[in-house]
Amino acid sequence: MRNLIFLIMTLVIFSCAQKDFAGKNVFYRGIQLYKEGKYSEAKDLLKKSIYKVQGLTADELMKARFYLADSYYREEQYVDAIVEFEELITLFPTAPFMDEALYKLADSYLKISPGVDRDMTYPEKALEKAEELIDSYPESKYVEKAKKIIYTVNKMKADHLLEIADLYEKLGKFYSASRYYQLAHDQYGDYINRAFVEYKLAYNLLRTKDQYDKEIKEYKEKIITIQNKIREEKNLEKKNVLINRKKVLEKHLSRLEDRIKKSYERGKSILQYIVKNYKGTEYEKKALNLLKKFTEVNNH
């Protein structure tokens, strides 16, 4: 009886060992195919190693996940690469190839990013991962590549702001356009044509009046209408309501007129700066022409 039990246990252990050995073969074959550049075939075996094979060590699982993620990356299947690299980083944050994983994750986010006129979520993720690489692994060979990603993303963000500014300008929302030109100038000065952005900023500031002319006219008409009602109203309580409404309208009107005045002065100042600092360029000529045009308009 004891010999029978011993035989059964031996067979069970041997069977488990065979399964582990077979599982190891799947893993090692997947690694071999990866190193041979056969990424499609490698992916199937690496996925099987991760999700079906038992007996792999933590180190082997870590390698399987990295090679799987990198296989997706090398085949330009960037969405799948992102999923696998994110999983790898979460499960094995101290992996010896973490700098490479961070770089390729950042690059994958950048590769799937839409145009500058679209959502900036993916470029922001690329920036985040590239900065993490530089902060955590300053001596890595991937630092310079990460810096290029950071530059590219910041250029995209600058262009994104300029796209919005241009759209507002085309819609006749000149003050709104100036706000976005200002943001691009202040936040991404190293990624833009400064002379161009400063000229566009000045142009839109000078045209702020055009954005608000209709609104100001409406406010003035409403104020006149309320003034007439106040004169005619006999009920004191109703008269006070009208007076308060008139004050609100006058406050809004004053705010818009102040905005127009300050925008004009600032736009003029920026044009004078361009004339002084961009001599001999197309922007000096443009700024002089714009100064002349708006000075004449303002004097009439």
Side-chain angles (χ1 to χ4, degrees):
M1 184 67 178
R2 291 173 65 181
N3 289 337
L4 179 60
I5 293 172
F6 177 77
L7 178 61
I8 292 171
M9 290 179 65
T10 301
L11 289 172
V12 169
I13 292 169
F14 181 73
S15 176
C16 291
Q18 276 191 316
K19 287 181 180 178
D20 286 347
F21 181 74
K24 296 279 187 179
N25 278 345
V26 170
F27 166 71
Y28 287 119
R29 180 59 180 156
I31 299 297
Q32 182 182 344
L33 288 169
Y34 165 87
K35 291 180 178 179
E36 291 173 0
K38 299 175 181 177
Y39 303 117
S40 292
E41 298 171 56
K43 284 185 302 186
D44 292 336
L45 295 181
L46 291 169
K47 281 189 281 188
K48 188 175 180 181
S49 297
I50 294 166
Y51 298 109
K52 293 184 179 180
V53 171
Q54 296 181 352
L56 291 186
T57 66
D59 185 65
E60 288 168 339
L61 279 170
M62 176 181 68
K63 289 177 180 177
R65 283 195 173 277
F66 174 75
Y67 289 128
L68 175 60
D70 199 40
S71 293
Y72 280 122
Y73 177 81
R74 289 172 183 270
E75 288 202 317
E76 300 182 3
Q77 295 174 314
Y78 297 115
V79 173
D80 290 316
I82 286 169
V83 172
E84 294 301 331
F85 277 125
E86 287 282 16
E87 189 74 5
L88 171 71
I89 290 168
T90 300
L91 294 173
F92 303 100
T94 59
F97 33 68
M98 188 53 60
D99 57 336
E100 183 178 354
L102 283 168
Y103 163 68
K104 290 180 175 177
L105 177 56
D107 191 48
S108 295
Y109 274 121
L110 189 59
K111 290 290 198 304
I112 66 168
S113 297
V116 296
D117 59 333
R118 305 287 292 278
D119 181 69
M120 288 285 107
T121 299
Y122 290 141
E124 287 285 2
K125 292 293 288 184
L127 181 67
E128 175 192 324
K129 299 304 177 183
E131 288 177 337
E132 183 180 344
L133 191 165
I134 293 171
D135 290 342
S136 302
Y137 306 95
E139 304 300 321
S140 170
K141 66 179 181 179
Y142 293 99
V143 164
E144 290 306 313
K145 290 183 177 181
K147 287 180 179 178
K148 288 180 181 178
I149 288 176
I150 291 171
Y151 180 89
T152 300
V153 172
N154 281 328
K155 182 71 170 64
M156 288 177 69
K157 291 168 76 173
D159 290 344
H160 180 65
L161 290 175
L162 295 180
E163 283 279 341
I164 296 172
D166 183 62
L167 176 61
Y168 275 122
E169 183 179 326
K170 287 174 179 174
L171 292 172
K173 306 293 185 181
F174 302 107
Y175 182 75
S176 303
S178 74
R179 298 291 296 271
Y180 281 94
Y181 281 120
Q182 187 70 62
L183 279 174
H185 183 273
D186 292 348
Q187 295 181 12
Y188 302 102
D190 294 335
Y191 306 92
I192 59 171
N193 180 335
R194 282 179 174 271
F196 166 78
V197 172
E198 287 163 3
Y199 173 78
K200 295 293 277 185
L201 172 59
Y203 172 81
N204 281 278
L205 285 168
L206 290 172
R207 292 203 63 184
T208 296
K209 182 176 182 296
D210 295 339
Q211 176 175 340
Y212 294 115
D213 266 348
K214 183 179 178 181
E215 193 173 346
I216 285 173
K217 183 181 177 182
E218 289 174 352
Y219 275 131
K220 287 181 176 179
E221 289 173 352
K222 287 178 181 179
I223 288 170
I224 291 171
T225 300
I226 289 177
Q227 282 176 333
N228 293 333
K229 288 182 178 180
I230 290 171
R231 282 195 298 268
E232 296 170 1
E233 185 58 58
K234 304 301 180 183
N235 184 289
L236 184 60
E237 185 176 345
K238 289 182 179 180
K239 179 174 285 198
N240 285 334
V241 170
L242 291 169
I243 289 171
N244 288 333
R245 186 178 300 169
K246 177 173 172 282
K247 286 179 180 178
V248 170
L249 291 173
E250 287 173 337
K251 184 178 179 180
H252 284 301
L253 178 61
S254 176
R255 179 174 57 83
L256 292 180
E257 289 175 335
D258 185 59
R259 178 177 293 177
I260 290 168
K261 180 181 177 183
K262 288 180 178 178
S263 295
Y264 176 81
E265 292 301 324
R266 186 149 182 279
K268 185 177 175 183
S269 176
I270 292 170
L271 289 178
Q272 290 168 341
Y273 172 86
I274 292 172
V275 170
K276 181 180 177 181
N277 291 277
Y278 297 102
K279 290 191 177 298
T281 70
E282 62 174 308
Y283 294 104
E284 178 194 17
K285 184 177 179 180
K286 286 184 175 183
L288 285 169
N289 289 337
L290 205 56
L291 272 171
K292 182 181 178 182
K293 175 183 176 181
F294 278 91
T295 299
E296 289 173 353
V297 168
N298 204 49
N299 287 336
H300 281 83

